[in-house]
Amino acid sequence: MKTALITGATSGIGKATAERLYKEGYRLVICGRRTKRLQDLQSAFGGGENCAILTFDVRDKKAVEDAIASLPVPFSDIDLLVNNAGNAHGLDPINTGSLEDWDAMMDINVKGLLYVSKAIIPSMVEKKAGHIINIGSIAGKEVYPNGNVYCASKHAVDAITKGMRIDLNAYGIRVGGIHPGLVETEFSEVRFKGDVERANTVYQGYKALQSEDIADIIAFVVSRPYHINIADLVVYPTAQASSTILKKGEN
Ligand code: NDP
Ligand code: 8X3
């Protein structure tokens, strides 16, 4: 049985990925800050035998280290790391954006991903095997109006993914990035600070990607024979052609 650690498993893409990998027979370590949601998911997966919970804020270096170090065998032997935790905070021009939002995006999306990776990579290096999937974004491939710092954080994820693949090549570790376009999750609710009405408009008038679509792609990527590493995937809803081109209405 393989073990997968998924960050941001309380919602959206991470939750759907946990559900899908559970069905695929993985032992799971599910992470997030909202403990109740993790507990509900663990119960749905039949309890603690094959699913461990880690509650931490990825911004807290020590909490990340301590949580991952606390994992008992067999959960500590991680074969697959899905670095998914992240969000956009705000959608403002660079001249009016808030420092708090910028800190949140760089600290969570970039540094948090590094802290989690730092805690897990040594065991992969030691066993000369493992798979790391970083959830980037189309925002990591192009910059769109008012996306500035979120786009910067996701460009960093893209660069870190490439750097990981290069540096971990000697150890036979697979590293890849998945870069979705618009996925209907709690993402916009977080970006717009709880303004559900505004968040909903992001997904209206066309068929957005669903979390399960990305989970399905992750299940495909991880199930390839070990000599295949799907390194870089951009996934749009059919209605979307770029960050700024979105066709709404009937075909
Ligand atoms: P959600 O808001 O639904 O989920 C975000 C997840 O990240 C939650 O489980 C949340 O858990 C976790 N998270 C956020 N901040 C922290 C933190 N400080 N510490 C620990 N965990 C944290 O959004 P998505 O599922 O859409 O987002 C998942 C990833 O996909 C993100 O990296 C996002 O940038 C990326 N993405 C999303 C797209 C979209 O259109 N939705 C498109 C492209 C990429 P909790 O709050 O419990 O801590
Ligand atoms: C999430 C997609 O277009 O809001 O990364 O940046 S977008």
Short mmCIF file of all heavy atoms in Angstrom, two decimals, residues 134-168:
data_model
loop_
_atom_site.label_atom_id
_atom_site.label_comp_id
_atom_site.label_asym_id
_atom_site.label_seq_id
_atom_site.Cartn_x
_atom_site.Cartn_y
_atom_site.Cartn_z
N ASN A 134 3.22 19.25 -7.42
CA ASN A 134 2.95 20.61 -6.94
C ASN A 134 1.77 21.19 -7.73
O ASN A 134 1.78 21.16 -8.97
CB ASN A 134 4.18 21.50 -7.12
CG ASN A 134 5.32 21.06 -6.21
OD1 ASN A 134 5.09 20.51 -5.13
ND2 ASN A 134 6.55 21.29 -6.64
N ILE A 135 0.78 21.68 -7.01
CA ILE A 135 -0.36 22.31 -7.69
C ILE A 135 0.00 23.78 -7.91
O ILE A 135 0.07 24.58 -6.96
CB ILE A 135 -1.67 22.18 -6.88
CG1 ILE A 135 -1.97 20.69 -6.57
CG2 ILE A 135 -2.82 22.82 -7.65
CD1 ILE A 135 -2.15 19.78 -7.77
N GLY A 136 0.28 24.09 -9.15
CA GLY A 136 0.57 25.47 -9.54
C GLY A 136 -0.73 26.14 -9.96
O GLY A 136 -1.74 26.06 -9.27
N SER A 137 -0.71 26.74 -11.12
CA SER A 137 -1.91 27.39 -11.65
C SER A 137 -1.56 27.95 -13.02
O SER A 137 -0.39 28.18 -13.34
CB SER A 137 -2.33 28.56 -10.74
OG SER A 137 -3.31 29.36 -11.37
N ILE A 138 -2.61 28.23 -13.79
CA ILE A 138 -2.38 28.99 -15.02
C ILE A 138 -1.76 30.35 -14.66
O ILE A 138 -1.03 30.94 -15.45
CB ILE A 138 -3.70 29.12 -15.83
CG1 ILE A 138 -3.44 29.77 -17.17
CG2 ILE A 138 -4.77 29.86 -15.05
CD1 ILE A 138 -2.44 29.08 -18.04
N ALA A 139 -2.02 30.78 -13.40
CA ALA A 139 -1.41 32.04 -12.91
C ALA A 139 0.10 31.91 -12.76
O ALA A 139 0.79 32.92 -12.60
CB ALA A 139 -2.04 32.42 -11.57
N GLY A 140 0.60 30.69 -12.83
CA GLY A 140 2.05 30.47 -12.79
C GLY A 140 2.66 30.40 -14.18
O GLY A 140 3.87 30.21 -14.33
N LYS A 141 1.80 30.50 -15.18
CA LYS A 141 2.27 30.45 -16.57
C LYS A 141 2.10 31.79 -17.27
O LYS A 141 2.77 32.08 -18.24
CB LYS A 141 1.47 29.38 -17.35
CG LYS A 141 1.62 27.96 -16.79
CD LYS A 141 3.04 27.43 -17.02
CE LYS A 141 3.14 25.97 -16.63
NZ LYS A 141 4.50 25.42 -16.82
N GLU A 142 1.13 32.57 -16.82
CA GLU A 142 0.94 33.91 -17.40
C GLU A 142 0.44 34.84 -16.30
O GLU A 142 -0.12 34.40 -15.29
CB GLU A 142 -0.05 33.87 -18.57
CG GLU A 142 -1.40 33.30 -18.21
CD GLU A 142 -2.39 33.36 -19.37
OE1 GLU A 142 -2.59 34.46 -19.91
OE2 GLU A 142 -2.96 32.32 -19.71
N VAL A 143 0.63 36.13 -16.53
CA VAL A 143 0.20 37.13 -15.54
C VAL A 143 -1.04 37.83 -16.09
O VAL A 143 -1.09 38.16 -17.27
CB VAL A 143 1.33 38.16 -15.29
CG1 VAL A 143 0.89 39.23 -14.29
CG2 VAL A 143 2.58 37.44 -14.80
N TYR A 144 -2.05 37.99 -15.22
CA TYR A 144 -3.27 38.66 -15.67
C TYR A 144 -3.53 39.91 -14.83
O TYR A 144 -2.97 40.06 -13.74
CB TYR A 144 -4.46 37.68 -15.64
CG TYR A 144 -4.70 37.00 -14.31
CD1 TYR A 144 -5.43 37.61 -13.29
CD2 TYR A 144 -4.20 35.72 -14.08
CE1 TYR A 144 -5.65 36.97 -12.08
CE2 TYR A 144 -4.42 35.07 -12.87
CZ TYR A 144 -5.15 35.70 -11.87
OH TYR A 144 -5.36 35.08 -10.67
N PRO A 145 -4.38 40.81 -15.32
CA PRO A 145 -4.61 42.06 -14.60
C PRO A 145 -5.03 41.82 -13.15
O PRO A 145 -5.91 40.99 -12.89
CB PRO A 145 -5.74 42.74 -15.39
CG PRO A 145 -5.61 42.17 -16.76
CD PRO A 145 -5.14 40.75 -16.59
N ASN A 146 -4.38 42.51 -12.25
CA ASN A 146 -4.65 42.45 -10.80
C ASN A 146 -4.23 41.11 -10.15
O ASN A 146 -4.45 40.90 -8.96
CB ASN A 146 -6.13 42.74 -10.48
CG ASN A 146 -6.58 44.08 -11.03
OD1 ASN A 146 -5.77 45.00 -11.12
ND2 ASN A 146 -7.83 44.19 -11.41
N GLY A 147 -3.63 40.26 -10.95
CA GLY A 147 -3.18 38.96 -10.40
C GLY A 147 -1.80 39.05 -9.77
O GLY A 147 -1.40 38.17 -8.99
N ASN A 148 -1.09 40.12 -10.13
CA ASN A 148 0.31 40.39 -9.71
C ASN A 148 0.95 39.41 -8.72
O ASN A 148 1.72 38.53 -9.11
CB ASN A 148 0.43 41.85 -9.22
CG ASN A 148 -0.72 42.26 -8.30
OD1 ASN A 148 -0.86 41.76 -7.21
ND2 ASN A 148 -1.55 43.19 -8.78
N VAL A 149 0.66 39.54 -7.43
CA VAL A 149 1.41 38.75 -6.42
C VAL A 149 0.95 37.29 -6.40
O VAL A 149 1.78 36.39 -6.21
CB VAL A 149 1.32 39.41 -5.03
CG1 VAL A 149 2.04 38.57 -3.98
CG2 VAL A 149 1.93 40.81 -5.08
N TYR A 150 -0.34 37.03 -6.62
CA TYR A 150 -0.76 35.62 -6.72
C TYR A 150 -0.03 34.97 -7.89
O TYR A 150 0.49 33.85 -7.76
CB TYR A 150 -2.28 35.52 -6.90
CG TYR A 150 -2.73 34.07 -7.05
CD1 TYR A 150 -2.58 33.16 -6.01
CD2 TYR A 150 -3.29 33.61 -8.25
CE1 TYR A 150 -2.97 31.83 -6.16
CE2 TYR A 150 -3.69 32.28 -8.40
CZ TYR A 150 -3.52 31.40 -7.35
OH TYR A 150 -3.90 30.07 -7.49
N CYS A 151 0.02 35.67 -9.03
CA CYS A 151 0.74 35.13 -10.19
C CYS A 151 2.21 34.92 -9.86
O CYS A 151 2.80 33.89 -10.24
CB CYS A 151 0.59 36.06 -11.40
SG CYS A 151 -1.11 36.18 -12.01
N ALA A 152 2.79 35.85 -9.12
CA ALA A 152 4.21 35.70 -8.73
C ALA A 152 4.39 34.46 -7.87
O ALA A 152 5.35 33.69 -8.06
CB ALA A 152 4.67 36.94 -7.96
N SER A 153 3.46 34.24 -6.96
CA SER A 153 3.60 33.06 -6.08
C SER A 153 3.50 31.78 -6.89
O SER A 153 4.21 30.81 -6.63
CB SER A 153 2.55 33.10 -4.95
OG SER A 153 1.26 32.75 -5.41
N LYS A 154 2.64 31.77 -7.90
CA LYS A 154 2.47 30.55 -8.69
C LYS A 154 3.59 30.40 -9.74
O LYS A 154 3.94 29.27 -10.10
CB LYS A 154 1.08 30.51 -9.32
CG LYS A 154 -0.03 30.29 -8.29
CD LYS A 154 0.14 28.93 -7.59
CE LYS A 154 -0.96 28.63 -6.61
NZ LYS A 154 -0.87 27.26 -6.05
N HIS A 155 4.15 31.51 -10.21
CA HIS A 155 5.36 31.41 -11.03
C HIS A 155 6.49 30.80 -10.19
O HIS A 155 7.29 30.01 -10.69
CB HIS A 155 5.79 32.78 -11.57
CG HIS A 155 5.10 33.17 -12.85
ND1 HIS A 155 3.76 33.48 -12.93
CD2 HIS A 155 5.58 33.30 -14.12
CE1 HIS A 155 3.44 33.78 -14.18
NE2 HIS A 155 4.54 33.68 -14.93
N ALA A 156 6.53 31.17 -8.91
CA ALA A 156 7.55 30.59 -8.02
C ALA A 156 7.33 29.09 -7.87
O ALA A 156 8.29 28.31 -7.89
CB ALA A 156 7.52 31.29 -6.66
N VAL A 157 6.07 28.69 -7.74
CA VAL A 157 5.78 27.24 -7.62
C VAL A 157 6.27 26.51 -8.88
O VAL A 157 6.86 25.43 -8.80
CB VAL A 157 4.26 26.99 -7.39
CG1 VAL A 157 3.93 25.50 -7.51
CG2 VAL A 157 3.84 27.53 -6.03
N ASP A 158 6.05 27.14 -10.04
CA ASP A 158 6.51 26.53 -11.30
C ASP A 158 8.03 26.39 -11.30
O ASP A 158 8.58 25.33 -11.65
CB ASP A 158 6.03 27.40 -12.48
CG ASP A 158 6.15 26.69 -13.82
OD1 ASP A 158 6.07 25.44 -13.85
OD2 ASP A 158 6.30 27.38 -14.85
N ALA A 159 8.72 27.45 -10.87
CA ALA A 159 10.20 27.42 -10.84
C ALA A 159 10.70 26.39 -9.82
O ALA A 159 11.65 25.63 -10.10
CB ALA A 159 10.74 28.80 -10.50
N ILE A 160 10.05 26.35 -8.67
CA ILE A 160 10.47 25.39 -7.63
C ILE A 160 10.26 23.96 -8.13
O ILE A 160 11.08 23.07 -7.88
CB ILE A 160 9.69 25.66 -6.32
CG1 ILE A 160 10.16 26.98 -5.69
CG2 ILE A 160 9.89 24.50 -5.32
CD1 ILE A 160 9.22 27.52 -4.61
N THR A 161 9.15 23.76 -8.83
CA THR A 161 8.88 22.41 -9.38
C THR A 161 10.00 21.99 -10.33
O THR A 161 10.51 20.86 -10.26
CB THR A 161 7.52 22.41 -10.12
OG1 THR A 161 6.51 22.85 -9.22
CG2 THR A 161 7.18 21.02 -10.65
N LYS A 162 10.38 22.91 -11.21
CA LYS A 162 11.47 22.59 -12.15
C LYS A 162 12.77 22.34 -11.40
O LYS A 162 13.53 21.42 -11.71
CB LYS A 162 11.65 23.74 -13.16
CG LYS A 162 10.50 23.84 -14.15
CD LYS A 162 10.59 25.12 -14.97
CE LYS A 162 9.40 25.25 -15.90
NZ LYS A 162 9.20 26.63 -16.35
N GLY A 163 13.04 23.17 -10.40
CA GLY A 163 14.27 23.01 -9.61
C GLY A 163 14.30 21.69 -8.85
O GLY A 163 15.32 21.01 -8.80
N MET A 164 13.13 21.33 -8.29
CA MET A 164 13.05 20.04 -7.58
C MET A 164 13.34 18.89 -8.55
O MET A 164 14.05 17.95 -8.21
CB MET A 164 11.63 19.83 -7.03
CG MET A 164 11.30 20.60 -5.78
SD MET A 164 9.59 20.15 -5.33
CE MET A 164 9.45 20.98 -3.76
N ARG A 165 12.76 18.99 -9.74
CA ARG A 165 12.93 17.89 -10.71
C ARG A 165 14.40 17.73 -11.08
O ARG A 165 14.91 16.62 -11.18
CB ARG A 165 12.06 18.13 -11.95
CG ARG A 165 12.00 16.93 -12.88
CD ARG A 165 10.84 17.00 -13.85
NE ARG A 165 10.79 18.25 -14.58
CZ ARG A 165 9.84 19.17 -14.46
NH1 ARG A 165 8.86 18.98 -13.62
NH2 ARG A 165 9.89 20.28 -15.16
N ILE A 166 15.08 18.85 -11.24
CA ILE A 166 16.51 18.81 -11.60
C ILE A 166 17.32 18.24 -10.43
O ILE A 166 18.11 17.31 -10.60
CB ILE A 166 16.99 20.23 -11.95
CG1 ILE A 166 16.34 20.71 -13.26
CG2 ILE A 166 18.53 20.27 -12.05
CD1 ILE A 166 16.47 22.20 -13.51
N ASP A 167 17.11 18.76 -9.24
CA ASP A 167 17.96 18.38 -8.10
C ASP A 167 17.67 16.98 -7.59
O ASP A 167 18.55 16.33 -7.02
CB ASP A 167 17.79 19.40 -6.96
CG ASP A 167 18.29 20.78 -7.35
OD1 ASP A 167 18.98 20.90 -8.39
OD2 ASP A 167 17.97 21.75 -6.64
N LEU A 168 16.45 16.51 -7.80
CA LEU A 168 16.08 15.19 -7.28
C LEU A 168 16.19 14.11 -8.35
O LEU A 168 15.94 12.93 -8.07
CB LEU A 168 14.66 15.23 -6.69
CG LEU A 168 14.50 16.23 -5.52
CD1 LEU A 168 13.07 16.26 -5.01
CD2 LEU A 168 15.47 15.90 -4.38
#
